[in-house]
Amino acid sequence: MYKVAGVAAVPGTLCLMSGTVFAATEDNPNVTLNTDELSLYTTPQQKFRYVEPEIGHLEQGVTTLRKLAEPYATFCQGAIGKVKPKVESAIQLGNETFTFLQNPPAEFYPRAGVIGFAGILGLFLARGSRVKKLIYPTGLMAVGYSMYYPQQAASIAKNTGDSLYDFALQGYVNVENVFKSVEGKPVKKEKPEENKLEETR
């Protein structure tokens, strides 16, 4: 067993040893050279230059397709950027509603039933007119909501009243500006008979 290991180790150690190589040259026959100095072990320096490959039909088709699809891709990215916050807020509202409905307050379902019944009663009373179908259910539901949640109803009514007042004031200012611009321009009414008389003279 020891003999085999010794024989196997000898070639392995021989390759790690560095030795001197005698090379015969025409000028000096007894000159010693290292292995790096021999021409067999040196590689000549090559000069490389980059050559761009020729563009094939497939690559041209892909580039034209990318150029055609680029405006649509940018439009989709902009649309996704606008829609994404709304979707995230809707998901958050849904999660909050789900957690609220899992553990609602004690009298939530009876109050919601009364407010919903008021809306259905408003639809029943508002037969015939589209305006009534809009006003009656909304009004009766608002009355039912204000009975159970007076503070929230008051704050909603105040905010709605303020926004309606601002909207009406802005409309009044716009109408006033339109009338001022019309009054500022002099309106000339010419009679066709007078024009004909002036042309004949």
Side-chain angles (χ1 to χ4, degrees), residues 69-97:
E70 187 176 356
Y72 300 109
T74 54
F75 173 74
C76 290
Q77 286 176 352
I80 287 170
K82 291 178 182 177
V83 171
K84 189 176 179 181
K86 296 178 182 178
V87 171
E88 288 176 351
S89 64
I91 290 171
Q92 184 178 2
L93 179 66
N95 290 336
E96 290 174 358
T97 305

Side-chain angles (χ1 to χ4, degrees), residues 32-99:
T32 58
L33 298 172
N34 290 330
T35 54
D36 295 336
E37 296 174 356
L38 293 174
S39 63
L40 292 174
Y41 299 104
T42 57
T43 56
Q45 291 183 354
Q46 297 178 352
K47 294 182 179 180
F48 297 103
R49 64 186 180 93
Y50 177 73
V51 178
E52 291 190 9
E54 295 181 5
I55 298 173
H57 294 293
L58 180 65
E59 291 179 356
Q60 286 179 353
V62 169
T63 53
T64 54
L65 223 123
R66 285 181 64 188
K67 286 179 182 177
L68 289 174
E70 187 176 356
Y72 300 109
T74 54
F75 173 74
C76 290
Q77 286 176 352
I80 287 170
K82 291 178 182 177
V83 171
K84 189 176 179 181
K86 296 178 182 178
V87 171
E88 288 176 351
S89 64
I91 290 171
Q92 184 178 2
L93 179 66
N95 290 336
E96 290 174 358
T97 305
F98 180 71
T99 55

